């Protein structure tokens, strides 16, 4: 699939913000999953004019494939700069696939306290769920082959764009 | 050369010694540790990485700090920790080290944290596990004889990197009883691997191992010369229990020549940090004024030690 067929990720961020806007409450806080989800959460915070810093989450310590794959070689720090107790959290990721990353992120968030609610916002949903998880906010339903992977990238000027990778 | 700590893919499966580990492995451990530091500040100070795993603390030699920090680290990874006071149990009844290991493996141990008075004991255990086909059981050296104390070496490197950011321009003095010190050996190997500009071994001749220069250090027999313009000073404990009388005239004499006082510390760079692996002999190798002063980072070392041990245990358990 040539690059021109992929949608504009920046426009999708704006679209996602408009999906979220009517559901915002004074308690809403955003938590981005490294790396793509963090970029998107930063955009959303700006577009929605939220005052709280975003939370950053790396699910490496909560993954369910540690037994098979070991520790992920590149871990980024988890940082939740607000009290999650009683908050309405929106978890942000780039692509929703099996749902395992979302499961790990939810477990991690609960180790910081008891949020009032957690919703999921993603740019792309490629199906293939292995857990009962769905996204409340999603801008793009896409069918991909099993050997294909959607990768969200930030170029030198921090502009977000999609790339389609194919694995052997 | 075969490195018994690494698997066929060059990944760390045991941590036995810093000697022979590539810089990338050390850096990876330090990077991982920085992410574990934050876990200790959470509401729930735990991550589920080692849930259901059994970590056996096998201390054939006394230790409070190291055993406790390994125990805390394992518990923050959600492992089950079993502390065996081996010096007072089966070994006293005549069981061999490897029989003890076989019994614990039969109890489904996943990891051994080993401290032993004999240099090489953790190697012996790792080699035995390989020969009996139990590569899935991991060994972490918590100090063996005079040989190595790799997690202390790594937490010292973490501390230095935290305060100094980079190793390449650093002058580091390791001061004191280097002869008996496994910490000194691990620190020196780590510093040279990570590219410190100059590592000095500062001690009286009787407390230096033979051919210590071959480890890549500059020997300084005089404390003032050794401390001058240093960025980092690592003080070692005078190991009274390992002294056999002929090495030093007295602790008082040692203190006069090699004790770190505020006057001597003033010779180092103004922003130099002072480290000590503990337990300290106040008034012997270090003055209280220095130990409690603004340049001492001795308590942060302890805090970083937990994160570093979490990193080591989760990396080896995953490989």
């Amino acid at each position: 699939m040539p690059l021109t067929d992929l949608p504009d990720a920046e426009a999708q961020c704006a679209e996602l913000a408009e999906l979220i806007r009517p559901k915002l409450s004074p308690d809403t806080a955003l938590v981005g999953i490294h790396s793509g989800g963090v970029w998107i959460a930063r955009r959303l915070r700006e577009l929605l004019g939220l005052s709280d810093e975003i939370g950053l989450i790396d699910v490496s310590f909560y993954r369910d494939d540690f037994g098979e794959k070991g520790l992920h070689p590149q871990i980024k720090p988890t940082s939740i700069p607000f009290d999650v107790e009683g908050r309405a959290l929106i978890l942000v990721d780039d692509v929703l696939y099996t749902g395992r990353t979302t499961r790990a992120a939810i477990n991690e968030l609960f180790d910081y306290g008891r949020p009032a609610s957690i919703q999921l916002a993603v740019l792309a949903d490629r199906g293939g769920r292995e857990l009962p998880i769905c996204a409340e906010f999603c801008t793009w339903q896409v069918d991909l082959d099993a050997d294909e992977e959607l990768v969200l990238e930030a170029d030198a000027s921090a502009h977000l764009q999609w790339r389609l990778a194919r694995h052997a | 050369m075969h490195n018994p700590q690494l698997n066929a893919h060059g990944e760390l499966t045991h941590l036995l010694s810093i000697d022979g580990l590539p810089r990338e492995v050390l850096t990876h451990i330090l990077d991982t540790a920085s992410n574990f530091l934050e876990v200790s500040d959470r509401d729930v100070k735990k991550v589920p990485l080692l849930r259901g795993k059994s970590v056996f603390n096998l201390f054939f030699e006394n230790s409070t700090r190291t055993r406790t920090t390994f125990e805390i680290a394992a518990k923050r990874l959600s492992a089950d920790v079993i502390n065996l006071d081996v010096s007072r149990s089966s070994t006293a009844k005549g069981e061999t080290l490897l029989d003890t290991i076989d019994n614990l493996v039969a109890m489904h141990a996943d990891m051994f944290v080993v401290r032993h008075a004999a240099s090489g004991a953790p190697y012996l255990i790792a080699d035995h596990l390989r020969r009996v086909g139990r590569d899935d059981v991991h060994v972490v050296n918590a100090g063996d004889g005079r040989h190595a104390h790799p997690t202390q070496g790594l937490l010292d490197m973490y501390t230095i990197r935290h305060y100094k950011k980079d190793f390449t321009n650093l002058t580091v003095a390791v001061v004191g009883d280097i002869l008996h010190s496994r910490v000194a050996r691990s620190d020196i190997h780590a510093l040279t691997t990570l590219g410190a500009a100059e590592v000095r071994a500062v001690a009286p001749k009787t407390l230096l191992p033979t051919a210590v220069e071959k480890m890549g250090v500059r020997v300084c027999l005089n404390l003032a010369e050794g401390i001058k313009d240093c960025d980092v000073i690592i003080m070692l404990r005078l190991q009274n229990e390992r002294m056999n009388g002929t090495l030093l005239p007295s602790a008082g004499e040692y203190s006069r020549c090699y004790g770190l006082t505020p006057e001597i510390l003033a010779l180092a760079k103004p922003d130099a940090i002072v480290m000590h692996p503990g337990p300290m002999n106040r008034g012997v190798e270090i003055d209280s004024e220095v130990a409690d002063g603004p340049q001492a980072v001795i308590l942060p070392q302890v805090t970083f030690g937990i994160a570093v041990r979490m990193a080591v245990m989760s990396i080896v358990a995953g490989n």
Side-chain angles (χ1 to χ4, degrees):
Chain A
M1 195 192 293
L3 193 71
T4 47
D5 288 342
L6 294 171
D8 176 358
E10 292 289 348
Q12 287 182 321
C13 286
E15 198 185 320
L16 192 61
E18 294 318 311
L19 291 175
I20 294 171
R21 197 183 299 278
K23 303 288 176 68
L24 276 184
S25 80
D27 286 336
T28 300
L30 302 176
V31 178
I33 301 177
H34 277 299
S35 302
V38 169
W39 298 332
I40 300 165
R42 288 206 177 103
R43 293 283 191 288
L44 294 175
R45 173 176 179 263
E46 207 171 296
L47 291 162
L48 296 169
L50 301 179
S51 53
D52 268 314
E53 290 294 313
I54 62 162
L56 318 175
I57 207 163
D58 185 304
V59 299
S60 299
F61 298 151
Y62 290 77
R63 292 188 65 91
D64 58 17
D65 55 4
F66 175 74
E68 292 93 59
K69 292 186 180 167
L71 197 61
H72 195 275
Q74 300 266 292
I75 306 171
K76 302 213 174 65
T78 289
S79 146
I80 309 292
F82 46 80
D83 190 355
V84 307
E85 200 70 29
R87 296 299 294 266
L89 301 181
I90 298 178
L91 197 56
V92 184
D93 205 354
D94 45 9
V95 182
L96 176 58
Y97 186 20
T98 62
R100 289 175 191 267
T101 301
T102 311
R103 194 283 308 168
I106 293 170
N107 280 19
E108 181 155 12
L109 283 172
F110 272 82
D111 283 351
Y112 285 86
R114 182 176 183 271
S117 63
I118 302 180
Q119 293 175 300
L120 180 62
V122 297
L123 290 192
D125 179 352
R126 61 170 291 185
R129 216 78 76 242
E130 293 167 3
L131 294 171
I133 279 169
C134 73
E136 277 80 0
F137 311 107
C138 172
T139 58
W140 182 28
Q141 302 279 347
V142 56
D143 278 325
L144 296 175
D145 292 337
D147 62 350
E148 289 177 320
E149 188 190 357
L150 263 180
V151 184
L152 188 67
E153 293 177 326
D155 67 15
S157 53
H159 185 86
L160 299 180
Q161 56 195 29
W162 290 112
R163 178 171 65 83
L164 192 68
R166 200 176 289 276
H167 299 287
Chain B
M1 197 186 80
H2 169 69
N3 188 328
Q5 309 180 83
L6 305 178
N7 65 16
H9 310 290
E11 301 162 332
L12 196 72
T13 56
H14 307 291
L15 180 66
L16 306 175
S17 166
I18 287 176
D19 188 13
L21 288 185
R23 183 189 290 202
E24 307 77 67
V25 171
L26 302 189
T27 308
H28 174 48
I29 296 171
L30 301 183
D31 290 346
T32 305
S34 68
N35 293 303
F36 279 116
L37 206 55
E38 158 272 328
V39 172
S40 301
D41 293 328
R42 294 184 188 187
D43 242 27
V44 178
K45 294 182 197 42
K46 256 184 198 297
V47 292
L49 271 185
L50 298 190
R51 202 163 66 91
K53 302 286 182 197
S54 299
V55 174
F56 282 71
N57 265 337
L58 279 174
F59 279 65
F60 295 88
E61 208 184 55
N62 288 332
S63 159
T64 307
R65 183 181 342 246
T66 304
R67 190 183 57 71
T68 309
T69 51
F70 265 110
E71 181 172 348
I72 293 169
K75 285 181 170 167
R76 294 207 177 145
L77 294 168
S78 306
D80 296 311
V81 187
I82 298 95
N83 287 312
L84 291 171
D85 190 355
V86 213
S87 52
R88 261 181 262 159
S89 58
S90 36
T91 312
K93 296 177 187 162
E95 187 173 70
T96 69
L97 174 60
L98 296 183
D99 281 334
T100 303
I101 294 298
D102 286 340
N103 275 275
L104 298 175
V105 169
M107 296 176 203
H108 302 285
D110 296 292
M111 189 183 301
F112 295 114
V113 175
V114 183
R115 167 162 293 190
H116 203 288
S119 300
Y123 274 92
L124 183 73
I125 296 170
D127 188 56
H128 175 73
L129 290 169
R130 186 182 55 80
R131 279 187 286 106
V132 298
R134 293 306 304 267
D135 284 330
D136 56 320
V137 183
H138 307 278
V139 181
V140 176
N141 182 0
D144 61 331
R146 297 179 185 188
H147 170 244
H149 193 347
T151 58
Q152 179 73 43
L154 286 163
L155 79 87
D156 285 349
M157 296 312 112
Y158 189 94
T159 307
I160 295 171
R161 200 173 75 159
H162 178 85
Y163 290 100
K164 299 293 174 190
K165 311 300 174 208
D166 184 33
F167 290 91
T168 45
N169 293 314
L170 294 185
T171 302
V172 183
V174 182
V175 184
D177 184 2
I178 295 168
L179 177 66
H180 297 102
S181 176
R182 52 196 174 212
V183 176
R185 285 171 180 76
S186 288
D187 279 342
I188 291 167
H189 283 303
L191 286 164
T192 52
T193 305
L194 292 169
E198 183 173 314
V199 185
R200 298 175 185 166
V202 188
K205 196 124 202 180
T206 49
L207 294 184
L208 282 170
T210 46
V212 67
E213 313 78 34
K214 288 197 176 144
M215 294 179 77
V217 298
R218 186 182 133 198
V219 173
C220 298
L221 300 179
N222 177 283
L223 181 64
E225 180 200 334
I227 294 298
K228 194 167 164 26
D229 298 326
C230 269
D231 299 283
V232 177
I233 302 165
I234 301 174
M235 298 304 296
L236 301 171
R237 186 172 66 87
L238 190 63
Q239 304 199 22
N240 287 313
E241 72 277 19
R242 295 186 215 262
M243 295 293 163
N244 59 17
T246 58
L247 296 171
L248 288 176
S250 71
E253 177 77 6
Y254 176 81
S255 179
R256 269 191 296 284
C257 298
Y258 290 94
L260 188 62
T261 61
E263 295 74 37
I264 294 283
L265 178 57
L267 299 172
K269 289 199 183 139
D271 62 346
I273 53 170
V274 177
M275 298 165 49
H276 193 299
M280 285 188 282
N281 294 310
R282 285 172 182 266
V284 182
E285 70 266 4
I286 188 164
D287 251 38
S288 278
E289 209 178 311
V290 174
D292 304 328
Q295 287 170 268
V297 296
I298 297 165
L299 294 175
Q301 282 178 271
V302 179
T303 304
F304 295 148
I306 293 172
V308 166
R309 289 175 175 124
M310 288 171 79
V312 167
M313 287 197 271
S314 53
I315 289 169
V316 298
N319 288 335

